[in-house]
Amino acid sequence: EGICSKSEALLKVEPTHVEQLLHPTFSPDALKSDAYTKGVVAKGLPGSPGAAVGRLVFTPKQAEDMKANGESVILAREVTSPEDVGGMWAAAGIVTARGGMTSHAAVVARGWGKPCVCGCSDIVVSEVNDTLTIKETNEVFTAGDIISLNGTTGEVI
């Protein structure tokens, strides 16, 4: 386009731009598909970029046990705390009902390069019942259900 030289363009690339390229993502075709667009059940804050697909779990112990058995898991919590880090490490992605961009879940996930959707007020997480309920539709997901996270956009699919 002639706006700047190749050297000038390279100088405008920040380390965070390169880092974003290293995270797993959904393909552009998948993002445009009906399955994706109609499958979005909730939206929160994009706490940490990347895409993850896995079985839903509600405790760090569940995440660690299922990961040890070769399963990909998504850890759902109302909010995370330092006691959850074992499960957070085991999880392919993390979703929380509360918290912001500087919440424990978001900061730890970004540091580890794991996708995270935080502050997702569209959901209710019950660790007692092992359920994740979508407020608007009352759709209930239980432990073991497969869900996807897009930490770049904050979408739960």
Side-chain angles (χ1 to χ4, degrees):
E1 294 178 12
I3 296 171
C4 61
S5 69
K6 286 183 182 181
S7 297
E8 291 171 322
L10 285 173
L11 291 172
K12 293 180 184 211
V13 176
E14 297 178 21
T16 55
H17 297 146
V18 175
E19 181 188 358
Q20 287 178 358
L21 296 173
L22 301 176
H23 294 282
T25 59
F26 294 115
S27 72
D29 289 339
L31 292 172
K32 293 176 194 167
S33 72
D34 281 346
Y36 184 94
T37 56
K38 293 179 181 176
V40 175
V41 293
K43 187 148 168 68
L45 297 171
S48 180
V53 178
R55 295 200 178 272
L56 190 58
V57 296
F58 295 91
T59 68
K61 174 110 173 74
Q62 290 171 340
E64 292 172 42
D65 290 348
M66 289 181 75
K67 171 71 174 180
N69 289 329
E71 294 274 358
S72 176
V73 298
I74 304 294
L75 178 64
R77 303 289 279 169
E78 179 71 24
V79 64
T80 63
S81 67
E83 291 80 28
D84 297 326
V85 294
M88 293 171 73
W89 178 255
I94 303 149
V95 60
T96 65
R98 295 188 303 128
M101 297 296 286
T102 59
S103 68
H104 179 263
V107 171
V108 171
R110 275 195 303 274
W112 287 343
K114 293 188 180 271
C116 176
V117 175
C118 57
C120 189
S121 60
D122 293 347
I123 65 172
V124 175
V125 176
S126 172
E127 295 160 22
V128 173
N129 298 319
D130 280 356
T131 58
L132 182 151
T133 304
I134 309 303
K135 288 181 182 177
E136 186 175 310
T137 63
N138 286 321
E139 185 175 4
V140 177
F141 295 88
T142 58
D145 288 349
I146 296 176
I147 68 166
S148 303
L149 298 180
N150 187 335
T152 306
T153 62
E155 294 168 323
V156 179
I157 307 99

